[in-house]
Amino acid sequence: MCTLVELAVLEATACPLIGLNSSGANREGGVRHGDCDGGENPLSGIDDFLYAASHFSMLMDGQFMYSKTLWCAVCIWVIVAGCRTITPAGRAKVINEPPETSKNDSSAVPAVGIWRAPGLESKLLQASMTSDDSGVDLIPTATRESRAPWGRPDLGSIYSRTSKSDEYQRNPIIVIPGILGSKLVDESGRRVVWGEFGGNGIDPSTVEGARLLALPMGEGEALKDLTDTIEVSGPLDTLNVRVFGVLFQMAAYRDIVTALGIGGYRDSPDELDPQDVRCFQFAYDWRRDNVETAAQLHQFILEKKALVEAERQARFGDDAEPVRFDIVAHSMGGVMARYYLQYGDAPLPEDGSLPEINWKGAQYVDRLVMVAPPNAGSLQAVEYLTQGVQFSRFFSKYEPALLGTMPSVYQLLPRTRHRPVVSGSRRETVDLYDPQVWVHARWGFFNPTQSEQLRYLLPNEPDPLRRLEVAYGHLAKCLRRAERFHAAIDVKVDPPEGTTIHLIASDAHPTVFQYAIDNRGALSPTARVAGDGLVTRHSALMDERLSDNGKWAPRLKSPIKWDSVTFLFTDHLGLTKDPAFTDNVLYLLIESPR
C-alpha cells in the first residue's frame, strides 16, 4: 500500500533530481506551483529519456550494470542523432509560422502555428476561430510557445477565456484535504507534530512524540471532551522530509490548488486580479471525529461567505448575488463533506439515534467534487489500527496503539455488511464494530507488543491491567461512534435541487477488498478488485450491490445520487497530479452547464 508519505520519502531518498526537468518543474504535475496561467513546461526528448532511464535504472539489479550502461548509451545516441529528423507517429509538427495579421481581416491567415501531420503538405489541422469582428477568439488555439507536450492538453489555452469571465458569476472554491492532509504543531508552534520528518518534526517512537500525536484517553468522558493542546497550522501543501540532514520538500495537496489556479482561482488575496475567484483551503485536525470537523467546516463557510459577499458588494453593488461554494474534497475530506451537506453542524445524538436530515450544509454548497473518497471505508484503516504503519525505513513506526486513539481512523473502516474481513473455512463475516473481536484477535491496544506504547500514553495508570481497561473503553467509544457515523451517511436520500455531487476516482489498480483472519489474529488478503491501490471502486461509488446477499445486478445501487462519475487510470495519490484530473475538474467547475 502506497501512502502520501511513502511516495514522498521514496521520491526524496532516491535522488533529489529525479522528477524534475531542467527548468525545475515537477515531472508528474506539468505545472509548477505558482504558475497559474496553465502554461506547460514541455520536456525535450532527451529529458523524457533521462527521466525514464533514471527510474528504469533504479529497478535494475547491480549484476546488469554493464548491459544497462551500454543500453543507455545506445539510446542516448539514437535520440541525439535522430532528434532532428524523427517525428513521433501521430504528433503534429510546426512547419512554418505565418506573419502576424489583423484578426479583423477575415481573409487573413490566423497568426498561430499551422499544424500539419507528417506526410500531408497542405492539411490544416488547427486554426483560430473568431466570433465576430471584435477579434476575440471563440476557440483559443495554442501558440508555439504555450503548446503542451505531446499527449497532454494545453489547459491554459482551453480555459483561458472562461477563466477570465466575470467572477461574480462563479462560485468561490473550498479545498478540503484528506486524512494526514493538515499540518499539526504543538501549542508553542515550534514542534511539528505532523508534517515534517526529521528537523523540528516529532519522533513517534519517543515518549514525548507519542504523547504529542496521540489523543487523550479517559474513562467516563465523551470523545468530544478528550482534547489536547495540539493546533492546526494550515494545509499540508508540502511535506518536509529530512534525510541525513538534507531537507526535501515534496508536493502534497499543492497539486489541487495549482490545478485550480489554471481556472483563475487564487488562494492568496494579494494575488487577486479583477477576474479571479477566491479559493480557500480548509485545514483541520484529521485525528478527531469527522462530525466535529463538519461543525468546524460550517463555521469556516459562514466566515468565508461573509468575506466574499462583502467584497462583491463593494465591487458590484446590488448586482451581487448571495454566495454559494463549490467544494473539492480529497479522500476522507470528501466523506466528512458529505456528512456536512446532509446534516450541517448537527451532532450525532447521544441516545444512539440518527440526526434529522436537514441538508443544512447543502444550502451553502452548489457542487461537491469528491476525489478518491472511501465512502464505504478502506481496508488500509484496518491495517493501520492492527499493524501500525512505518512510512519509510528511515523513520520510526507509528504504532497501532498510537493510531488507535484517533476516532477518525475508525470512521474509515469498511462496512461489516460488505464482508471486508472473514474467518474460518466457512468464511464467516467478522464484525469490525465489536470491541470483543479486537480483544480476541489481539489487535491494536491488545497486542502484547503494545504494552510499552500504552505505558507512554497512560502515564497516570501504573497498573498494566488498568491501562488495558482504559484502552478497551476508548476502543468501544470509537467503534460505536464509527458505526453511528456510517449509519448517518449511508442513508439513501437525494440532495435538494441546486446541489450536486460528483465523483472522480480510479479503477486501474488492484486494491485489497477482503482479508481472512486466522486463529492467531493475523490478516491475509484473499481478494483484490479494481481501485486506486487504497480505495476500491466499490467504496468510492458506495456500491451497495455487495450487501444484497450476493445477488449481482447490472445497475449501480448507491445511497449517493451521483450527478457525474469520472474514472482515471492512476493511483490514489497520483489522481491530483494527472492532467486528466485537472481537465475534468476545470470543465466541471467553470464550463459545464448549471
Side-chain angles (χ1 to χ4, degrees):
M1 291 291 183
C2 180
T3 62
L4 173 68
V5 181
E6 285 176 299
L7 183 63
V9 173
L10 286 174
E11 290 183 356
T13 55
C15 176
L17 296 180
I18 290 175
L20 299 177
N21 64 20
S22 57
S23 64
N26 185 278
R27 177 62 175 80
E28 297 295 332
V31 182
R32 287 179 287 182
H33 183 47
D35 292 348
C36 296
D37 58 357
E40 300 274 359
N41 293 302
L43 297 177
S44 68
I46 295 179
D47 288 330
D48 277 332
F49 166 75
L50 292 178
Y51 173 80
S54 62
H55 279 71
F56 176 81
S57 65
M58 288 189 295
L59 302 177
M60 299 287 289
D61 191 86
Q63 61 182 316
F64 298 113
M65 183 62 67
Y66 176 79
S67 59
K68 177 186 67 176
T69 305
L70 180 60
W71 175 83
C72 290
V74 170
C75 289
I76 292 176
W77 178 83
V78 169
I79 291 176
V80 173
C83 63
R84 296 180 179 274
T85 59
I86 298 175
T87 302
R91 181 175 184 178
K93 62 178 180 179
V94 176
I95 62 172
N96 66 347
E97 288 285 344
E100 291 285 341
T101 57
S102 171
K103 289 185 177 181
N104 292 327
D105 182 1
S106 60
S107 64
V109 177
V112 296
I114 298 178
W115 293 8
R116 295 197 180 103
L120 298 179
E121 296 302 325
S122 60
K123 182 77 172 178
L124 183 65
L125 296 184
Q126 180 166 333
S128 175
M129 295 177 63
T130 56
S131 56
D132 50 36
D133 291 339
S134 66
V136 178
D137 282 347
L138 181 65
I139 302 178
T141 56
T143 64
R144 184 173 192 171
E145 289 75 18
S146 67
R147 191 167 302 132
W150 178 40
R152 291 195 177 195
D154 183 359
L155 300 177
S157 293
I158 293 172
Y159 295 104
S160 61
R161 187 177 182 187
T162 307
S163 66
K164 294 178 175 61
S165 63
D166 224 342
E167 60 117 2
Y168 81 91
Q169 298 178 351
R170 296 166 56 193
N171 295 331
I173 293 282
I174 295 176
V175 177
I176 303 178
I179 194 168
L180 310 180
S182 300
K183 187 176 181 180
L184 306 178
V185 298
D186 67 3
E187 57 184 338
S188 71
R190 292 191 295 269
R191 294 297 307 278
V192 179
V193 177
W194 174 257
E196 182 170 336
F197 286 82
N200 293 324
I202 66 161
D203 182 352
S205 67
T206 65
V207 176
E208 180 193 25
R211 289 177 182 171
L212 281 173
L213 183 57
L215 286 174
M217 295 186 288
E219 288 184 308
E221 295 184 76
L223 291 175
K224 63 182 178 61
D225 298 326
L226 295 169
T227 60
D228 57 15
T229 59
I230 299 303
E231 299 175 356
V232 180
S233 71
L236 193 63
D237 288 342
T238 57
L239 179 69
N240 294 330
V241 181
R242 288 186 181 272
V243 181
F244 304 124
V246 180
L247 174 65
F248 297 89
Q249 288 190 325
M250 311 306 297
Y253 282 94
R254 192 173 65 186
D255 298 297
I256 295 180
V257 178
T258 302
L260 294 173
I262 298 173
Y265 297 97
R266 299 290 183 269
D267 63 341
S268 172
D270 299 331
E271 298 175 359
L272 284 175
D273 292 329
Q275 72 275 11
D276 291 337
V277 183
R278 283 278 202 167
C279 173
F280 303 101
Q281 298 187 68
F282 175 67
Y284 61 96
D285 190 339
W286 44 264
R287 304 172 302 165
R288 302 197 64 83
D289 178 12
N290 278 296
V291 177
E292 294 180 31
T293 304
Q296 296 169 10
L297 175 61
H298 180 66
Q299 293 303 315
F300 182 86
I301 285 180
L302 293 181
E303 293 173 7
K304 302 310 178 187
K305 175 180 168 65
L307 172 65
V308 176
E309 286 182 343
E311 291 176 344
R312 293 189 177 183
Q313 181 69 27
R315 185 175 169 203
F316 300 111
D318 294 337
D319 291 335
E321 298 181 356
V323 168
R324 299 184 80 202
F325 293 87
D326 292 333
I327 292 178
V328 179
H330 183 256
S331 197
M332 187 181 77
V335 179
M336 180 274 296
R338 192 158 64 83
Y339 179 94
Y340 173 70
L341 288 188
Q342 294 181 210
Y343 303 101
D345 58 348
L348 289 172
E350 294 295 334
D351 61 4
S353 62
L354 297 181
E356 179 185 355
I357 298 177
N358 54 23
W359 291 106
K360 183 177 180 179
Q363 64 181 300
Y364 304 106
V365 178
D366 195 344
R367 291 188 171 182
L368 169 61
V369 182
M370 304 179 73
V371 184
N375 282 305
S378 171
L379 277 171
Q380 188 185 47
V382 177
E383 293 180 22
Y384 278 15
L385 291 169
T386 60
Q387 304 169 25
V389 60
Q390 185 172 9
F391 295 115
S392 168
R393 64 181 180 274
F394 293 100
F395 304 116
S396 299
K397 181 180 180 180
Y398 291 78
E399 297 290 348
L402 187 158
L403 300 175
T405 66
M406 305 174 184
S408 64
V409 184
Y410 295 92
Q411 292 171 1
L412 293 177
L413 288 171
R415 310 298 191 266
T416 295
R417 65 180 180 273
H418 295 161
R419 304 183 73 243
V421 180
V422 295
S423 67
S425 59
R426 300 180 63 182
R427 300 174 66 83
E428 297 176 347
T429 303
V430 174
D431 184 4
L432 294 178
Y433 298 124
D434 184 357
Q436 284 295 324
V437 168
W438 297 67
V439 174
H440 294 316
R442 296 187 174 186
W443 286 347
F445 296 124
F446 308 102
N447 189 319
T449 63
Q450 297 302 295
S451 59
E452 186 72 4
Q453 191 76 192
L454 281 176
R455 187 173 66 84
Y456 291 172
L457 302 179
L458 296 169
N460 297 325
E461 295 288 351
D463 183 1
L465 291 179
R466 277 289 302 147
R467 290 197 289 265
L468 286 175
E469 289 176 3
V470 173
Y472 180 85
H474 190 79
L475 171 69
K477 285 185 283 189
C478 288
L479 290 174
R480 185 164 56 249
R481 188 75 170 178
E483 185 175 19
R484 292 167 57 201
F485 176 73
H486 293 164
I489 62 175
D490 290 355
V491 175
K492 181 174 175 55
V493 58
D494 294 345
E497 185 177 354
T499 298
T500 56
I501 304 176
H502 307 263
L503 173 65
I504 299 179
S506 172
D507 56 3
H509 293 260
T511 306
V512 176
F513 171 70
Q514 187 181 77
Y515 276 127
I517 180 175
D518 62 20
N519 54 10
R520 297 172 300 168
L523 295 166
S524 56
T526 61
R528 287 180 171 84
V529 296
D532 63 17
L534 299 181
V535 177
T536 67
R537 187 180 194 268
H538 301 97
S539 179
L541 288 166
M542 192 62 205
D543 191 346
E544 287 294 354
R545 289 176 291 183
L546 300 175
S547 58
D548 260 359
N549 298 319
K551 296 179 180 179
W552 182 84
R555 300 293 181 182
L556 173 68
K557 295 181 180 179
S558 175
I560 307 170
K561 183 183 179 182
W562 298 111
D563 197 75
S564 69
V565 173
T566 302
F567 289 109
L568 304 181
F569 310 130
T570 183
D571 61 20
H572 189 76
L573 297 175
L575 274 170
T576 59
K577 302 175 185 295
D578 192 331
F581 166 81
T582 306
D583 199 355
N584 281 282
V585 165
L586 291 180
Y587 170 76
L588 184 62
L589 295 177
I590 69 178
E591 278 197 347
S592 65
R594 301 200 179 218

